[in-house]
Amino acid sequence: MRTILVVGGGYAGFYTAWKLEKKLKKDEARVVLVDPRPYMTYQPFLPEVLAGSVEARHAAVSQRRHLHRTRIISGAVVSVDHARKTATIRPSEGDEFALAYDIIAVTAGAVTRQLGVPGVADEAIGMKHVEEAVAIRDRLLTGFDRAATLEPGPERQKLLTATFVGGGFSGVEGFGELLSLATALCKPYPEIKKSEIAFHLVEARDRILPEVTDEPGRWVVRSLEKRGAHVHLNATVVSAVDGHVVLSDGTEFDSDLIVWTVGNAATSMVRNHTDLPVNERGMLVVRADLRVGTEADPVADAWGAGDDAAVPDLAVPGTWTVPNAQHAVRQGKLLASNIVASIRGREPKQYKHHSLGTVATLGLGRGIFQYKRIVIKGLPAWLMHRGYHVLAVPTWERKVRVLAIWLAAVVFGRDIVSLASVQDPRRAFVTGGENR
């Protein structure tokens, strides 16, 4: 029986394995999925995890709960020798081992680019995983707790200052949601004035949200600034050592919370440790039907999709599909269908997806939507964002859980409890319950 190896359990990998289970006959092939995390992160919900509008576990979809016929290996694929159809796997526990396969689907996703800025590796938090979103939220809430006990001054101001680096969708949505939460915290924290809260959004280009056109992008900037935010365009972070942020335009300030969302880079395995073809950016070269290789030179039994693959965008000839959830989910579904088709001797289909529009949350009750020339702003766009994503999150179990949290928040508001202590769970035990 054939072995299909799925590398990575993110959007594309999870949907590939999930759909393969439904399409394959029991004796047709076995599926093996390798990923260091036991869940798929639904990343569009991470900004709402920051704001407490979605419970952290509800933004994650358990692999073992939904993949019943797939062998799941907790670990990472560190190299692929496709000429020998062998992958080297580093498990979470134990020694590395080789795994033979017949067909490989590379859906390893991408990693956050750090750019080597001094202090970033020590001070910043990314925003690609649930754990990071929880840490950002807890850092803000703990900062408010600490600032409420201090007199006005540099230390208090640093605790009330948050910085997001990167003005793409991830950065802007996270920034808007966390700003909404911080503003709402002024009511339960009467010691802190709204004017003391400082939120900085730093973007190297002359605009934010490149997925929308210029005027809606400028409207988002005006909307954020009206809420008290500082948007720094055409600026980069030069240093962030010890939380002291220095920008290329000369601006300097101290920030207790720095969130790094400057874009993606291909994983080290795809860039450097495989004999599969990659382009100059280290991304897997794939055809429109998701086979690895080119039209003239396809690679047999190798497939790729998601953020680590340069998938031709047939809707916009001459370009590649952007690395977002909308494409990764659809590519994962098609990838499963095409693998099954190839096993059964049929021709695979090409991936072509016309955008359904762009929608983003900017905080509770605020959003923006654009489809071609149609632009919707404010509450209607925010409701469209929530409606789309509660339908898009995989499995009915997750849809119901998320919807229940949203309905409860309408009545009781967002939860503002910080659980930062979970990052050091033994402290209370070691200190006998004392705060030290």
Side-chain angles (χ1 to χ4, degrees):
M1 190 160 53
R2 295 180 180 88
T3 295
I4 302 172
L5 173 61
V6 180
V7 182
Y11 287 117
F14 176 84
Y15 272 95
T16 298
W18 200 23
K19 296 302 180 181
L20 280 172
E21 285 193 352
K22 296 181 179 181
K23 294 177 180 294
L24 288 169
K25 299 174 183 177
K26 287 188 177 181
D27 59 349
E28 202 165 18
R30 64 170 63 88
V31 181
V32 180
L33 183 145
V34 182
D35 193 89
R37 287 179 169 80
Y39 57 80
M40 183 209 82
T41 302
Y42 189 72
Q43 291 184 350
F45 277 159
L46 293 187
E48 298 210 48
V49 172
L50 262 66
S53 299
V54 170
E55 206 279 324
R57 286 183 175 83
H58 299 168
V61 180
S62 170
Q63 294 165 357
R64 293 188 180 274
R65 183 183 182 99
H66 300 287
L67 301 178
H68 305 297
R69 294 168 51 199
T70 298
R71 179 190 174 192
I72 298 172
I73 299 176
S74 178
V77 174
V78 293
S79 66
V80 172
D81 184 350
H82 190 64
R84 299 182 180 182
K85 291 191 175 180
T86 302
T88 301
I89 296 175
R90 181 179 297 149
S92 300
E93 297 291 338
D95 299 327
E96 291 184 3
F97 63 92
L99 178 71
Y101 63 82
D102 298 284
I103 299 169
I104 190 169
V106 182
T107 57
V111 295
T112 303
R113 292 184 298 169
Q114 291 190 15
L115 305 181
V117 177
V120 166
D122 299 319
E123 300 292 333
I125 304 174
M127 210 180 81
K128 289 183 71 69
H129 304 292
V130 173
E131 300 93 335
E132 293 172 322
V134 172
I136 293 167
R137 168 180 160 79
D138 287 342
R139 177 75 70 87
L140 179 79
L141 293 171
T142 301
F144 267 71
D145 285 332
R146 294 168 60 193
T149 65
L150 296 173
E151 294 297 323
E155 187 176 356
R156 176 178 166 119
Q157 184 59 65
K158 181 178 180 179
L159 291 168
L160 297 175
T161 301
T163 305
F164 278 66
V165 186
F169 249 76
S170 178
V172 172
E173 287 193 311
F175 185 82
E177 285 287 350
L178 203 66
L179 176 60
S180 177
L181 173 62
T183 303
L185 288 175
C186 290
K187 184 175 181 179
Y189 288 88
E191 306 91 339
I192 297 174
K193 298 178 182 178
K194 183 180 176 181
S195 59
E196 295 183 272
I197 301 171
F199 267 62
H200 298 266
L201 177 62
V202 184
E203 169 54 45
R205 292 167 291 190
D206 61 355
R207 53 165 299 179
I208 62 173
L209 290 179
E211 294 85 352
V212 303
T213 53
D214 289 346
E215 180 50 39
R218 287 192 289 267
W219 176 85
V220 173
V221 172
R222 293 194 300 269
S223 174
L224 293 173
E225 290 178 336
K226 189 180 296 184
R227 294 160 60 188
H230 307 277
V231 181
H232 307 270
L233 300 177
N234 294 311
T236 59
V237 175
V238 176
S239 174
V241 176
D242 296 327
H244 182 70
V245 179
V246 181
L247 303 185
S248 58
D249 62 6
T251 304
E252 296 186 32
F253 52 88
D254 290 329
S255 180
D256 185 60
L257 174 59
I258 302 172
V259 183
W260 194 261
T261 63
V262 296
N264 298 326
T267 65
S268 174
M269 187 278 290
V270 173
R271 287 198 316 268
N272 305 316
H273 302 290
T274 175
D275 56 351
L276 296 172
V278 297
N279 64 14
E280 64 281 358
R281 295 176 56 196
M283 299 176 68
L284 200 65
V285 176
V286 301
R287 311 187 327 171
D289 61 5
L290 306 181
R291 288 181 188 268
V292 173
T294 63
E295 294 298 326
D297 189 19
V299 179
D301 299 322
W303 304 78
D307 291 357
D308 65 346
V311 180
D313 191 344
L314 299 183
V316 187
T319 64
W320 290 270
T321 58
V322 296
N324 63 20
Q326 199 175 117
H327 284 301
V329 168
R330 287 167 174 79
Q331 288 171 9
K333 293 177 180 179
L334 179 63
L335 182 52
S337 297
N338 281 353
I339 290 174
V340 173
S342 70
I343 290 174
R344 296 173 182 170
R346 300 198 302 267
E347 284 297 311
K349 297 180 180 179
Q350 293 189 325
Y351 177 75
K352 186 174 183 179
H353 171 64
H354 293 280
S355 175
L356 302 177
T358 298
V359 63
T361 175
L362 303 173
L364 194 63
R366 299 177 175 91
I368 186 166
F369 167 82
Q370 182 174 18
Y371 177 68
K372 297 182 178 179
R373 295 184 179 182
I374 301 172
V375 178
I376 300 174
K377 305 170 184 175
L379 180 61
W382 178 78
L383 292 172
M384 292 171 69
H385 176 273
R386 285 205 159 181
Y388 172 80
H389 285 298
V390 79
L391 292 174
V393 66
T395 80
W396 279 102
E397 170 248 344
R398 277 297 180 261
K399 298 180 198 296
V400 172
R401 289 181 188 274
V402 169
L403 192 58
I405 289 290
W406 283 343
L407 294 175
V410 172
V411 179
F412 302 108
R414 291 182 290 200
D415 200 325
I416 60 170
V417 174
S418 169
L419 295 177
S421 58
V422 300
Q423 297 173 39
D424 188 9
R426 296 186 67 251
R427 173 177 295 226
F429 176 75
V430 172
T431 63
E434 299 176 9
N435 291 320
R436 296 183 181 177

